[in-house]
Amino acid sequence: MILNLNLLLKIVAESTESKLNEVNIDSSMDSLAGWDSLGHLSILSKLDSATEGKAAEINTLADCRSVNDLIESLKSNSLFSE
């Protein structure tokens, strides 16, 4: 499955226990209190589920610290569409 911005924002919001309207393309570990180590693992896990296991093959996802980083990493692996 290819992710889009709405689904990615929903995953980040759920994983960080944030309200959807608090999460946007500029959100990051620094701006969302719930984006800590557990929140990050939750994001990675939900991305993996949403992409039917393909996200787990992307080494750079673990280093992503913002929604923008996630988008770039997913795009470079053909798992994100505008």
Side-chain angles (χ1 to χ4, degrees):
M1 172 181 204
I2 305 295
L3 297 169
N4 60 35
L5 183 59
N6 288 337
L7 182 54
L8 181 58
L9 294 179
K10 183 178 176 191
I11 288 171
V12 171
E14 288 175 1
S15 299
T16 60
E17 298 179 356
S18 302
K19 293 180 182 174
L20 187 54
N21 66 354
E22 296 173 338
V23 180
N24 60 54
I25 197 164
D26 296 318
S27 296
S28 68
M29 286 182 156
D30 297 328
S31 65
L32 297 174
W35 195 336
D36 53 15
S37 56
L38 290 177
H40 194 67
L41 287 175
S42 181
I43 291 169
L44 296 177
S45 175
K46 288 180 189 216
L47 286 174
D48 195 46
S49 293
T51 60
E52 300 166 346
K54 292 183 176 122
E57 300 169 9
I58 305 172
N59 295 332
T60 56
L61 276 181
D63 297 327
C64 293
R65 300 181 51 83
S66 69
V67 172
N68 263 322
D69 289 348
L70 292 170
I71 290 171
E72 291 307 312
S73 194
L74 292 164
K75 265 187 188 176
S76 67
N77 287 274
S78 302
L79 293 175
F80 187 87
S81 178
E82 299 287 336

